[in-house]
Amino acid sequence: MKKTNNIILETSLKALLFFIVLYSVYIFTAGHYYPGGGFIGGLMTAGAIVLLLITYDIKTVQRILPVNYRIITAIGLLLAIGTSASSLLFHVPFLTHRFTHVELPVLGEISLHTATLFDLGVYFVVVGVTMTIIQTIGEDE
Amino acid sequence: MTTIVNFIIGFLILAGALLFLIATFGVIRLPDVYTRNHAASKAATLGVMFVLLGTFLYFYSVEGHFNSRLILGIVFLFLTSPISGHLINRAAYNSGVKLWDQSVRDDLKEYHKKMQDDSSAD
């Protein structure tokens, strides 16, 4: 295959990836009060990695992000099960969540909720499953 | 003050919609892929940016809500839309789509031919 120089796409990617990843993190963290959450944030992060895959080939991306996405999926499922099952330790029903208000030095008052950890599990599962599907199809020759 | 802002918002939204219309007419009327892409990627980008700016001004002045996501959207579109136009045109040229038969200049032709001869010689 002929090597082509795709310098416009490669240069713009360096700026665009920050936008996309930052926005996906914003979507993930804003999910409790605004539209968003783990699913759409995970899909957007997977979209950023797909943009990397479009620009470079699959081996380069594996070197940039040395991650096994099946393990990411497993970690996400463990987080989801762990946060739901840990409520059993406090003698309350399965999937009972708690929240508290915390005063942080710079950010001010923040409400921390255990549902965020559950959402983080959803986020990991979505990123892992999407990237596993795309990489499995991409590697097929 | 509010009247002036409302006038600017209306102008921006209408100008954006007019630019969409011009881009659509350009895509229908122009003869080949490259000129069509020229119309679509430039006019539609400016149209979307106008509409987003009008929406941002509306929410900022009327509702008093500073929506930074719209600013981010304007910047993002300004970055990505010309790049996608460039990539589509490049893919079309590399896969051998003919220029309009009344085109007078094709500076890339000789270079492209040389590259193809080099790759076939390998």
Side-chain angles (χ1 to χ4, degrees), chain B residues 56-82:
Chain B
F56 169 76
L57 279 179
Y58 173 80
F59 278 106
Y60 187 51
S61 70
V62 180
E63 314 258 325
H65 168 63
F66 187 90
N67 197 336
S68 54
R69 278 157 287 173
L70 285 168
I71 303 279
L72 196 69
I74 291 172
V75 175
F76 194 78
L77 247 136
F78 188 61
L79 279 173
T80 51
S81 185

Side-chain angles (χ1 to χ4, degrees), chain A:
Chain A
M1 201 182 122
K2 192 168 71 176
K3 174 79 180 153
T4 55
N5 66 334
N6 215 342
I7 195 156
I8 293 180
L9 185 59
E10 282 171 18
T11 313
S12 60
L13 181 83
K14 281 167 194 153
L16 292 179
L17 268 186
F18 285 108
F19 278 98
I20 302 172
V21 172
L22 201 69
Y23 197 68
S24 75
V25 171
Y26 163 73
I27 287 268
F28 168 72
T29 49
H32 198 70
Y33 296 104
Y34 298 103
F39 185 78
I40 187 91
L43 273 184
M44 205 176 274
T45 309
I49 304 172
V50 169
L51 191 65
L52 259 177
L53 278 171
I54 288 172
T55 313
Y56 302 106
D57 56 309
I58 212 160
K59 286 197 176 68
T60 318
V61 176
Q62 196 59 246
R63 209 174 61 234
I64 296 168
L65 283 173
V67 174
N68 187 354
Y69 293 105
R70 291 181 190 108
I71 294 176
I72 295 279
T73 315
I75 290 172
L77 282 173
L78 272 179
L79 264 175
I81 293 173
T83 46
S84 7
S86 61
S87 62
L88 292 175
L89 296 177
F90 301 99
H91 301 290
V92 285
F94 190 69
L95 272 172
T96 307
H97 288 291
R98 289 293 300 273
F99 76 98
T100 176
H101 291 277
V102 177
E103 194 76 30
L104 288 180
V106 182
L107 300 167
E109 192 185 335
I110 280 182
S111 68
L112 290 178
H113 204 296
T114 51
T116 311
L117 288 173
F118 189 84
D119 223 20
L120 193 68
V122 175
Y123 179 89
F124 278 151
V125 169
V126 170
V127 171
V129 168
T130 315
M131 291 320 295
T132 308
I133 292 171
I134 288 166
Q135 275 201 337
T136 317
I137 295 170
E139 278 170 350
D140 192 36
E141 281 172 4

Side-chain angles (χ1 to χ4, degrees), chain B residues 30-119:
Chain B
L30 286 171
D32 67 349
V33 173
Y34 308 103
T35 45
R36 278 178 191 168
N37 203 336
H38 168 76
S41 65
K42 284 174 184 63
T45 309
L46 193 64
V48 175
M49 283 166 71
F50 271 1
V51 169
L52 284 178
L53 193 63
T55 318
F56 169 76
L57 279 179
Y58 173 80
F59 278 106
Y60 187 51
S61 70
V62 180
E63 314 258 325
H65 168 63
F66 187 90
N67 197 336
S68 54
R69 278 157 287 173
L70 285 168
I71 303 279
L72 196 69
I74 291 172
V75 175
F76 194 78
L77 247 136
F78 188 61
L79 279 173
T80 51
S81 185
I83 295 162
S84 60
H86 158 78
L87 287 174
I88 292 169
N89 259 0
R90 189 184 142 106
Y93 197 92
N94 283 342
S95 56
V97 176
K98 291 274 184 296
L99 272 71
W100 185 31
D101 51 3
Q102 289 178 39
S103 304
V104 289
R105 259 184 96 154
D106 189 1
D107 286 343
L108 204 57
K109 196 176 187 176
E110 288 172 17
Y111 177 75
H112 195 69
K113 204 170 179 180
K114 194 163 73 79
M115 289 293 287
Q116 276 189 336
D117 289 345
D118 285 352
S119 64

